[in-house]
Amino acid sequence: KNEVEQSPQNLTAQEGEFITINCSYSVGISALHWLQQHPGGGIVSLFMLSSGKKKHGRLIATINIQEKHSSLHITASHPRDSAVYICAAYSGGGADGLTFGKGTHLIIQP
Amino acid sequence: EAGVTQFPSHSVIEKGQTVTLRCDPISGHDNLYWYRRVMGKEIKFLLHFVKESKQDESGMPNNRFLAERTGGTYSTLKVQPAELEDSGVYFCASSQDPPQLLRGRGRTDTQYFGPGTRLTVL
């Protein structure tokens, strides 16, 4: 069974700061999702990656398969980036669903 | 293209009652997943359909939960009878290709999530 750990659990930063959220998992995976959930809202998939790095606008996600670790970075953070960021990995043992981290609650203050 | 939709968005019921949640996946997506988040905990996998067949239901908590996907289109998740600990947000997701099929080819398909149904059992 895969264990997915995220850090930090809560993060408050000032607008413009560079943000890093970390995710580690215990079992080798085929892919990892980074998801975003706004207060009262649904879940949006930001990235799915299985190696290297992906970039979309101000968001960058990296993964190191050997170290079982992924990071989500936000450059030039903005108050609208305030949300819960969740990493999720495909479980080991043949299960088909995602195993989710507890999420990182990010608040960007103006 | 319409995304994954879920109905209702909120449901408040009393303990012992029955509730049915519905998920409409993206058209053409054979794979449909149910997840839930209970208060203070991480989101957990419930089950996975490939078309109308249950591929993996290892996450279903007990036999009070029944999921169906007749005709391989929309899916329903029925909770009968509901208990207090069933309160939470139930998410549905869909994808085009299943993860197991693609693992050998080194590719895994993105899951697209619905907005969730918030269930409150009083």
Side-chain angles (χ1 to χ4, degrees):
Chain A
K1 183 179 178 291
N2 214 344
E3 303 285 338
V4 178
E5 299 286 338
Q6 277 186 246
S7 63
Q9 275 190 290
N10 296 283
L11 178 57
T12 300
Q14 294 299 120
E15 183 173 356
E17 284 189 41
F18 181 81
I19 303 299
T20 296
I21 299 170
N22 295 299
C23 175
S24 60
Y25 49 92
S26 58
V27 176
I29 60 171
S30 56
L32 183 139
H33 280 263
W34 278 102
L35 309 165
Q36 181 192 57
Q37 184 176 24
H38 280 278
I43 295 175
V44 174
S45 181
L46 298 173
F47 295 102
M48 189 187 66
L49 66 166
S50 54
S51 65
K53 180 167 100 172
K54 283 192 176 179
K55 185 176 188 293
H56 185 250
R58 295 179 294 104
L59 299 176
I60 303 166
T62 62
I63 190 167
N64 184 318
I65 295 293
Q66 286 74 28
E67 293 185 4
K68 297 187 177 64
H69 180 268
S70 176
S71 293
L72 176 69
H73 306 284
I74 305 175
T75 61
S77 59
H78 190 275
R80 64 175 174 266
D81 297 326
S82 299
V84 177
Y85 292 84
I86 305 166
C87 73
Y90 279 107
S91 307
D96 293 327
L98 292 165
T99 299
F100 292 78
K102 286 185 162 62
T104 294
H105 189 192
L106 174 67
I107 297 173
I108 304 295
Q109 295 177 333
Chain B
E1 180 189 288
V4 177
T5 58
Q6 291 186 246
F7 182 82
S9 55
H10 291 86
S11 181
V12 181
I13 60 172
E14 291 189 353
K15 176 182 167 181
Q17 289 186 319
T18 297
V19 63
T20 300
L21 314 181
R22 174 172 169 144
C23 168
D24 286 77
I26 291 172
S27 177
H29 281 191
D30 286 343
N31 296 277
L32 188 149
Y33 306 82
W34 282 99
Y35 300 94
R36 75 169 178 178
R37 174 177 240 165
V38 295
M39 183 70 75
K41 301 245 177 112
E42 66 271 26
I43 301 169
K44 290 221 189 261
F45 167 76
L46 295 178
L47 88 159
H48 169 209
F49 282 100
V50 177
K51 296 185 181 176
E52 67 275 9
S53 300
K54 289 175 189 171
Q55 180 78 11
D56 178 358
E57 51 185 332
S58 60
M60 293 288 264
N62 52 59
N63 60 10
R64 294 186 295 102
F65 288 75
L66 175 64
E68 293 180 322
R69 193 181 180 196
T70 308
T73 53
Y74 70 91
S75 174
T76 57
L77 179 65
K78 182 193 288 189
V79 185
Q80 179 182 30
E83 298 288 343
L84 299 178
E85 65 264 25
D86 300 332
S87 296
V89 182
Y90 290 76
F91 292 100
C92 172
S94 72
S95 71
Q96 205 154 25
D97 291 307
Q100 280 187 330
L101 177 67
L102 296 172
R103 274 182 199 145
R105 288 186 265 159
R107 187 168 70 88
T108 305
D109 209 8
T110 299
Q111 292 187 23
Y112 296 86
F113 284 80
T117 293
R118 183 173 294 278
L119 174 64
T120 302
V121 183
L122 302 176

